[in-house]
Amino acid sequence: MATALITGATAGIGRAFADLLARQGFDLVLVARNEARLKLVAKELHDKHSVAVEVFRADLSRYDECAWVEQRLADTARPIEVLINNAGFAVRQRFAKGDLLAEQTMFDVLVRAVMRLSHAAAQGMVARGSGVIINVSSVAGWRHTSTYAASKAYVTSFSIALGRELRNRGVKVTALCPGFTHTEFHQRAGMDMKRLPEFMWLDADALVAQGWRDAQRNKRISVPGRQYQALRYLLKFWY
Ligand SMILES: NC(=O)c1ccc[n+]([C@@H]2O[C@H](COP(=O)([O-])OP(=O)(O)OC[C@H]3O[C@@H](n4cnc5c(N)ncnc54)[C@H](OP(=O)(O)O)[C@@H]3O)[C@@H](O)[C@H]2O)c1
């Protein structure tokens, strides 16, 4: 069976991708920092779907640990057919007065790791003439607000460019741009979301299903939810 590698697979959107792909019969390689949680998720998915699940503890902000994942992706003896670059978090602070290391760490996970893992995966996919890369970006990339937003703008632009480069090589690349989604993301970033109206929230399972469908159709950008599709249209006139 084909194998999918998912970063940030223990919670939220990454976990929803792990469920969806396991249901479809993919063997999985799950990447995150918390090893105990990785093992728990791996056992649940294996028991429920009878797929092989490998856990890979790595902090993608660390160059050495990111390189372990690159090596796994480049291993021709154990090919990866699907790469989901999903791991991420936000740092909430003003840039000039803020902690530079925190900005750098976020940048390394959201941008550097996505770029390096895409490169490691794409080489084998091109050689085999097949593969899918989904880079989890954000609607935040449409606005000019922070290192987080700028990083997501990179992810979207980079994914479109890579998709164009590989379109005749059998490799599909999609930037998945979620809006606000119920996950651990906002709590981890210390954001108070109580005032966000209910209609702005997305469900992780539904958005992942949409993202996967759009990737199968080789769409460059996937924007789940009518509210965010409308926002995308309106922002074209704003900037
Ligand atoms: N939730 C939203 O509203 C929303 C909207 C738009 C885009 N997104 C994007 O969606 C992606 C997933 O976010 P989520 O909402 O699902 O967040 P989440 O529930 O907080 O899950 C984040 C996942 O990433 C892993 N992770 C975090 N830092 C990591 C690191 N340095 N190295 C390896 N793994 C790391 C976490 O596991 P460990 O802590 O164990 O490492 C966890 O599995 C992110 O790229 C985020 O920017 C989210």
Side-chain angles (χ1 to χ4, degrees), residues 16-237:
F17 264 115
D19 283 330
L20 177 119
L21 294 172
R23 234 179 3 257
Q24 300 206 358
F26 281 89
D27 290 333
L28 299 174
V29 183
L30 309 180
V31 181
R33 290 168 301 179
N34 184 326
E35 192 164 19
R37 204 167 171 192
L38 275 168
K39 285 182 176 162
L40 206 66
V41 172
K43 185 176 178 336
E44 276 176 30
L45 292 171
H46 172 73
D47 291 352
K48 195 165 172 196
H49 302 288
S50 304
V51 293
V53 189
E54 187 182 330
V55 299
F56 209 115
R57 196 212 62 76
D59 179 343
L60 294 172
S61 72
R62 291 186 49 137
Y63 291 16
D64 54 346
E65 298 190 9
C66 185
W68 300 340
V69 185
E70 290 166 42
Q71 283 161 18
R72 176 65 188 86
L73 283 163
D75 184 348
T76 49
R78 296 180 297 159
I80 301 290
E81 280 298 325
V82 175
L83 167 63
I84 313 285
N85 269 315
N86 161 79
F89 60 91
V91 171
R92 220 169 124 254
Q93 61 180 2
R94 294 274 174 206
F95 180 77
K97 283 189 178 172
D99 172 11
L100 181 57
L101 183 60
E103 298 278 331
Q104 174 74 55
T105 303
M106 175 172 62
F107 183 85
D108 285 338
V109 174
L110 296 183
V111 175
R112 183 182 181 279
V114 169
M115 187 261 288
R116 293 195 65 93
L117 299 186
S118 296
H119 190 262
Q123 289 183 322
M125 290 176 179
V126 167
R128 292 188 297 275
S130 71
V132 176
I133 299 175
I134 298 179
N135 292 327
V136 181
S137 185
S138 172
V139 300
W142 303 339
R143 301 187 64 234
H144 314 304
T145 54
S146 58
T147 300
Y148 178 81
S151 299
K152 292 303 190 182
Y154 167 87
V155 173
T156 302
S157 176
F158 165 72
S159 305
I160 293 168
L162 185 61
R164 284 186 185 145
E165 181 182 321
L166 303 184
R167 76 182 149 211
N168 296 322
R169 312 298 296 270
V171 182
K172 297 170 176 164
V173 184
T174 297
L176 173 58
C177 298
F180 294 105
T181 308
H182 286 296
T183 67
E184 298 173 13
F185 179 88
H186 305 97
Q187 192 190 353
R188 287 183 192 231
M191 297 177 191
D192 181 1
M193 304 304 293
K194 281 199 278 296
R195 279 202 241 155
L196 189 76
E198 194 49 45
F199 77 91
M200 293 302 284
W201 284 107
L202 297 173
D203 168 72
D205 290 320
L207 93 82
V208 157
Q210 178 72 52
W212 181 248
R213 273 196 303 276
D214 287 340
Q216 298 307 302
R217 294 182 195 129
N218 208 4
K219 282 181 82 169
R220 298 274 171 274
I221 301 189
S222 172
V223 181
R226 285 184 199 282
Q227 65 278 55
Y228 291 105
Q229 287 157 14
L231 183 66
R232 184 180 175 203
Y233 180 75
L234 289 174
L235 286 175
K236 280 188 185 159
F237 300 102

